[in-house]
Amino acid sequence: MKKIAFILLIAFIGILPASAYLISYKEQYYKLYHIHYQQYPDDVIENIYWLERAAAADFCNPQYAMAKINDKTDWEKYRYLFMMHINLKLAEQHLRLGKTWDKQFAYFYDEPWKEEYLRNLETAESCYKEGLVYWDEAKSWAELANMGKFRFMFLTDIQYWEDERERIYTGDLDYEKIITRELNRLQSVKNTFNAMDENTY
């Protein structure tokens, strides 16, 4: 008897609609972005997906923002900081993704797989270049968040984003320098592979 009651209970629960809500705002998509202890390519691609969705979505109502918004000036700065941070994370994730296909060095014994390595390096290069696009976008939003009217105004609930803005302003945070260095090294590795022939190995 208990078994039949249990089966009926499961069947009844199965026909009830599951409760869910629609994800449609930047803040909701951003909360799906997360860093794993060890990031595999699938994890990075998933993060890029959520961050790109966050960048394209609308902002939620200010009362549901990720920081306390007191007036229109707070709201304006919050939006600039949010977009700056999203683009910074996208630049960072593309840098991580590029590392998946990047071969740091070309050894003489790699010649038999030269063409495959060159294809992988092309993929890594495209990831790095995409990261530069997001970095430029992040700098643009940081400049807006650095306008004179915001100079002595800080959103302490998102202090980490304020710190990122300040580091971009002072030049302490510079993904262009990092990515350009990686692109130059990658080109050097490509040149080494292109110079290889059957006599190299």
Side-chain angles (χ1 to χ4, degrees), residues 178-190:
I178 296 166
I179 294 173
T180 301
R181 183 186 64 220
E182 293 302 309
L183 284 169
N184 291 337
R185 180 197 45 74
L186 185 145
Q187 186 58 50
S188 174
V189 174
K190 280 172 67 175

Side-chain angles (χ1 to χ4, degrees), residues 108-145:
F108 74 95
Y109 50 77
D110 290 331
E111 194 279 329
W113 303 279
K114 171 176 129 175
E115 295 305 321
E116 185 177 339
Y117 282 131
L118 284 170
R119 279 194 303 273
N120 287 345
L121 288 170
E122 290 293 330
T123 304
E125 185 176 16
S126 68
C127 291
Y128 294 153
K129 287 181 176 176
E130 192 68 19
L132 277 176
V133 172
Y134 287 112
W135 166 249
D136 288 337
E137 189 72 15
K139 282 195 302 183
S140 298
W141 289 108
E143 285 175 22
L144 289 170

Side-chain angles (χ1 to χ4, degrees), residues 30 33-36 39 44-45 47-48 51 84-100 127-128 130-136 138 160 164 167 173-176 178-179 182:
Y30 176 71
Y33 158 78
H34 55 286
I35 298 293
H36 299 268
Q39 281 195 302
V44 177
I45 291 168
N47 276 337
I48 289 171
L51 289 167
M84 175 208 72
H85 179 70
I86 290 287
N87 282 283
L88 271 179
K89 293 293 123 185
L90 279 163
E92 179 185 294
Q93 292 298 303
H94 278 85
L95 188 57
R96 285 179 186 264
L97 190 61
K99 294 283 187 194
T100 304
C127 291
Y128 294 153
E130 192 68 19
L132 277 176
V133 172
Y134 287 112
W135 166 249
D136 288 337
Y160 181 68
E164 288 175 336
R167 290 177 64 214
L173 180 59
D174 189 351
Y175 274 120
E176 183 174 0
I178 296 166
I179 294 173
E182 293 302 309

Side-chain angles (χ1 to χ4, degrees), residues 139-152:
K139 282 195 302 183
S140 298
W141 289 108
E143 285 175 22
L144 289 170
N146 265 330
M147 286 191 292
K149 64 180 176 179
F150 301 132
R151 181 56 58 196
F152 298 105

Side-chain angles (χ1 to χ4, degrees), residues 9-179:
L9 177 65
I10 295 298
F12 180 73
I13 290 172
I15 58 174
L16 290 176
S19 64
Y21 66 93
L22 182 66
I23 296 175
S24 54
Y25 297 110
K26 287 182 185 295
E27 290 81 358
Q28 292 171 316
Y29 282 116
Y30 176 71
K31 287 178 181 175
L32 295 171
Y33 158 78
H34 55 286
I35 298 293
H36 299 268
Y37 176 70
Q38 185 169 355
Q39 281 195 302
Y40 295 103
D42 287 348
D43 301 323
V44 177
I45 291 168
E46 178 190 357
N47 276 337
I48 289 171
Y49 174 79
W50 294 127
L51 289 167
E52 285 180 344
R53 294 296 299 268
D58 292 327
F59 283 97
C60 68
N61 186 290
Q63 65 183 329
Y64 301 116
M66 296 175 71
K68 185 176 181 186
I69 306 299
N70 296 311
D71 54 34
K72 289 183 179 179
T73 309
D74 283 358
W75 180 234
E76 185 181 0
K77 186 173 187 184
Y78 168 81
R79 288 176 308 186
Y80 296 154
L81 287 174
F82 192 102
M83 291 303 295
M84 175 208 72
H85 179 70
I86 290 287
N87 282 283
L88 271 179
K89 293 293 123 185
L90 279 163
E92 179 185 294
Q93 292 298 303
H94 278 85
L95 188 57
R96 285 179 186 264
L97 190 61
K99 294 283 187 194
T100 304
W101 289 281
D102 195 350
K103 179 144 176 63
Q104 301 292 316
F105 302 100
Y107 298 102
F108 74 95
Y109 50 77
D110 290 331
E111 194 279 329
W113 303 279
K114 171 176 129 175
E115 295 305 321
E116 185 177 339
Y117 282 131
L118 284 170
R119 279 194 303 273
N120 287 345
L121 288 170
E122 290 293 330
T123 304
E125 185 176 16
S126 68
C127 291
Y128 294 153
K129 287 181 176 176
E130 192 68 19
L132 277 176
V133 172
Y134 287 112
W135 166 249
D136 288 337
E137 189 72 15
K139 282 195 302 183
S140 298
W141 289 108
E143 285 175 22
L144 289 170
N146 265 330
M147 286 191 292
K149 64 180 176 179
F150 301 132
R151 181 56 58 196
F152 298 105
M153 188 190 90
F154 301 98
L155 300 176
T156 55
D157 292 336
I158 48 174
Q159 184 62 50
Y160 181 68
W161 300 359
E162 291 275 15
D163 293 344
E164 288 175 336
R165 176 200 50 76
E166 185 64 23
R167 290 177 64 214
I168 291 171
Y169 175 71
T170 61
D172 289 340
L173 180 59
D174 189 351
Y175 274 120
E176 183 174 0
K177 183 178 178 183
I178 296 166
I179 294 173

